[in-house]
Amino acid sequence: MFADRRDVQLYVPTEDQITKAADALAKSACRPFDDPAVRDTIIDVKRRSEQTIDVVSKDEVLYAGADEKATEKAHTTVDSFKKFIEENKDQITALQILFSKPYGTRHLTYEDVKQLAEAIRKPPYHLTPEVLWHAYEQLEKSKVRRGGPQKLLTNIISLVRFAVGETERLESFPETVDQRFKRWLAKQEELGREFTKEQVEWLNMIKDHIASSVEVSLDDFDDTPFFSKGGRVKAYQLFGKDLDKVLEEINAVLVL
């Protein structure tokens, strides 16, 4: 037979008993540290594990070979790129368009940019936009802005312009396009040309497409992201007979 739990009396200690028990346990736990030998051992272990940090004295550079080699390599890369531009400015379409033709008649395509990128990648140059960008960061960091995807093929346009001194700062091609787009919109407003919210949404899509593909045409409206927004039919509904003029103007202003 089990006892009825209701008949069991639980012992509850008083506050004074709890305090005395806690004191007894604390004294018991501290008793080993009363031994001088234990205390000396703890102090010795602590001393051996401590580190002194000198925040007053200045470090003196004893060797900087790796940095010098990196700088030398960056100079070689940049010089090679400039040599490539000089030797091919009359041969490669993209360079011809950027530097030879009158400003108003230049029309750059993605295929032109792709051809240029493939040309600098071949021997003896072995260059890519990423390698060139890094080299300019090594040599002229204050003039280089790292923004946007560095592997974007259109960045080669920015690199060419910076290499020949056409621009004072090296920034990603999308960043340049975005700045020009904002100035263009502000200019339209000054001229009294107003766009609806939906038109501005389309203009932003056009701007982003140019940033990655150099140009935009009516055929592009059959692809993403334009197609999901209604394609060329919707574009004509929004801009009407001015659509062709808008595309021609925005292609010219944002790229060249």
Side-chain angles (χ1 to χ4, degrees):
M1 295 288 295
F2 291 100
D4 191 337
R5 295 183 62 184
R6 290 174 294 182
D7 296 334
V8 177
Q9 296 281 336
L10 294 178
Y11 174 73
V12 179
T14 64
E15 289 291 334
D16 183 57
Q17 289 174 321
I18 292 174
T19 300
K20 289 181 178 180
D23 289 342
L25 289 172
K27 290 178 180 178
S28 176
C30 293
R31 192 169 293 118
F33 299 100
D34 291 336
D35 186 344
V38 173
R39 293 199 301 271
D40 289 342
T41 299
I42 293 174
I43 293 171
D44 185 52
V45 170
K46 181 177 181 294
R47 185 184 299 113
R48 290 201 304 267
S49 64
E50 282 181 340
Q51 284 185 325
T52 301
I53 300 177
D54 184 359
V55 296
V56 177
S57 303
K58 294 183 178 180
D59 292 334
E60 183 177 346
V61 178
L62 299 178
Y63 176 72
D67 287 342
E68 291 175 2
K69 288 182 179 179
T71 301
E72 183 181 348
K73 183 178 180 180
H75 274 295
T76 300
T77 298
V78 168
D79 290 343
S80 180
F81 184 47
K82 291 180 178 179
K83 180 181 178 182
F84 167 85
I85 294 173
E86 182 62 30
E87 292 179 347
N88 293 276
K89 63 182 180 181
D90 297 323
Q91 308 297 325
I92 296 177
T93 304
L95 296 179
Q96 288 179 328
I97 292 172
L98 286 170
F99 304 114
S100 301
K101 295 183 179 179
Y103 191 90
T105 63
R106 299 188 297 184
H107 179 64
L108 198 63
T109 69
Y110 187 77
E111 286 303 315
D112 296 331
V113 172
K114 186 176 178 182
Q115 179 195 35
L116 175 58
E118 290 173 350
I120 67 170
R121 191 179 293 114
K122 294 177 181 178
Y125 304 102
H126 302 289
L127 300 174
T128 66
E130 305 97 285
V131 168
L132 287 165
W133 207 282
H134 180 67
Y136 278 115
E137 279 186 322
Q138 289 279 108
L139 302 176
E140 303 182 75
K141 191 172 183 179
S142 63
K143 296 182 180 181
V144 179
R145 295 185 62 179
R146 177 166 285 274
Q150 299 306 307
K151 292 185 178 181
L152 202 61
L153 201 62
T154 52
N155 276 336
I156 198 169
I157 299 172
S158 300
L159 287 161
V160 170
R161 287 171 172 163
F162 186 72
V164 300
E166 187 177 315
T167 57
E168 295 182 355
R169 294 179 64 86
L170 177 58
E171 60 186 15
S172 68
F173 184 68
E175 190 170 359
T176 299
V177 168
D178 188 61
Q179 291 173 3
R180 292 184 176 189
F181 177 69
K182 289 176 180 176
R183 288 198 295 268
W184 180 78
L185 277 181
K187 184 66 174 179
Q188 303 312 301
E189 187 176 343
E190 290 177 8
L191 295 172
R193 189 179 186 182
E194 297 181 359
F195 295 107
T196 66
K197 183 179 179 180
E198 197 169 11
Q199 284 176 325
V200 172
E201 181 183 358
W202 268 75
L203 289 172
N204 271 288
M205 288 194 297
I206 290 171
K207 178 257 297 183
D208 291 340
H209 185 82
I210 289 175
S212 61
S213 303
V214 189
E215 61 175 343
V216 67
S217 67
L218 284 174
D219 291 338
D220 293 317
F221 293 162
D222 297 328
D223 299 322
T224 304
F226 305 103
F227 185 75
S228 62
K229 297 290 185 178
R232 69 172 72 195
V233 174
K234 184 63 177 180
Y236 272 117
Q237 288 177 353
L238 289 172
F239 296 97
K241 59 183 177 59
D242 291 333
L243 179 60
D244 292 337
K245 181 181 178 181
V246 168
L247 292 182
E248 181 181 355
E249 184 177 344
I250 206 167
N251 271 314
V253 171
L254 299 194
V255 178
L256 301 171

